[in-house]
């Protein structure tokens, strides 16, 4: 590998960070995310956590969350992080689809991508932008997890030692969960002409691919391994786990990400700029 490869990745990643945290459109997206997350944190998450705490103290042998299908929340020592886990498994993959949609497509449509690769290479641009988008998502996930920790400490500061492991495990797992979605958007962005097309194709592929493979796996169980091809297929199983047990399925997003990045790199190498 060329020694300047990682330097170019770093430069391109920095550009993505600057585009998200310095430009007006990027800041608007960050502020919108912050407002939405604050509403989730202060209302459904906080209120549900208080209900869980009260339920543990008052009811024995009956749980409202068992009735509505969220009994796994009781396995978490700190209820706020159990709820954060469930919210994050829905919110951050969807955010990843929107945030990572425009990795290379708009530059190709404007014709600027051919000038960028004069001083770099297609591989460096492809992987550099993927890495930059992942760093942005890591920062957002970390900020959301830290805000949840602050909510826990506001309720009971003595929970710090119990909350810290939960903070680490959910942060690592949510980062792993968004990896294949970001890789899928990198591959789609290398093929289509706009972020909107990439988003639409992602939703269509995600929906129909999951339905077709799910149907095949149901009638032909020997084909169940094909479910590994669907980004996020393990999320429903992850929601039933708690603590460090959630890392049992870490191989799934890692494998999916490698396959999708290989496909995206192949498309990028052959696509007309």
């Amino acid at each position: 590998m060329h020694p300047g490869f990682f330097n170019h990745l770093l430069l391109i990643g920095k550009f993505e960070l600057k585009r998200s945290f310095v430009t007006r459109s990027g800041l608007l997206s960050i502020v919108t995310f912050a407002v939405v997350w604050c509403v989730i944190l202060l209302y459904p998450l906080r209120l549900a956590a208080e209900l869980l705490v009260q339920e543990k103290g008052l009811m024995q042998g009956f749980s409202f969350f068992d009735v509505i299908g969220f009994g796994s929340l009781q396995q978490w020592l700190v209820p706020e992080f159990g709820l954060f886990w469930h919210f994050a498994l829905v919110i951050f993959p969807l955010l990843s689809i929107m945030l990572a949609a425009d990795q290379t497509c708009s530059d190709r449509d404007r014709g600027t991508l051919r000038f960028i690769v004069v001083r770099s290479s297609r591989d460096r641009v492809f992987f550099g932008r993927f890495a930059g988008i992942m760093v942005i998502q890591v920062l957002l996930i970390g900020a959301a997890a830290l805000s949840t920790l602050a909510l826990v400490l506001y309720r009971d500061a003595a929970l710090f030692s119990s909350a810290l492991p939960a903070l680490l495990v959910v942060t690592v797992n949510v980062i792993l969960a968004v990896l294949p979605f970001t890789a899928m958007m990198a591959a789609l962005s290398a093929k289509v002409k706009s972020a909107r097309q990439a988003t639409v194709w992602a939703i269509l592929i995600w929906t129909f691919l999951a339905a077709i493979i799910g149907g095949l796996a149901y009638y032909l169980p020997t084909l169940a391994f094909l479910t590994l091809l669907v980004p996020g297929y393990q999320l429903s199983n992850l929601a039933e786990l708690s603590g460090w047990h959630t890392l049992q399925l870490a191989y799934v997003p890692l494998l999916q990400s490698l396959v999708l990045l290989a496909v995206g790199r192949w498309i990028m190498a052959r696509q007309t700029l």
Side-chain angles (χ1 to χ4, degrees), residues 68-108:
I68 63 174
F70 289 93
S72 61
L73 286 170
Q74 295 174 321
Q75 299 170 15
W76 290 82
L77 293 176
V78 182
E80 285 85 350
F81 277 107
L83 291 158
F84 172 83
W85 177 234
H86 282 73
F87 277 110
L89 289 179
V90 176
I91 292 171
F92 284 102
L94 293 176
L95 179 67
S96 180
I97 289 176
M98 293 184 286
L99 195 65
D102 186 14
Q103 295 187 43
T104 54
C105 54
S106 62
D107 275 323
R108 187 187 317 102

Side-chain angles (χ1 to χ4, degrees), residues 44-67:
L45 198 150
R46 180 176 62 85
L47 296 176
E50 289 177 355
L51 183 59
L52 269 168
V53 173
Q54 292 172 5
E55 189 179 72
K56 282 183 179 178
L58 296 176
M59 297 184 177
Q60 299 294 330
F62 173 80
S63 171
F64 168 74
F65 290 92
D66 279 333
V67 175

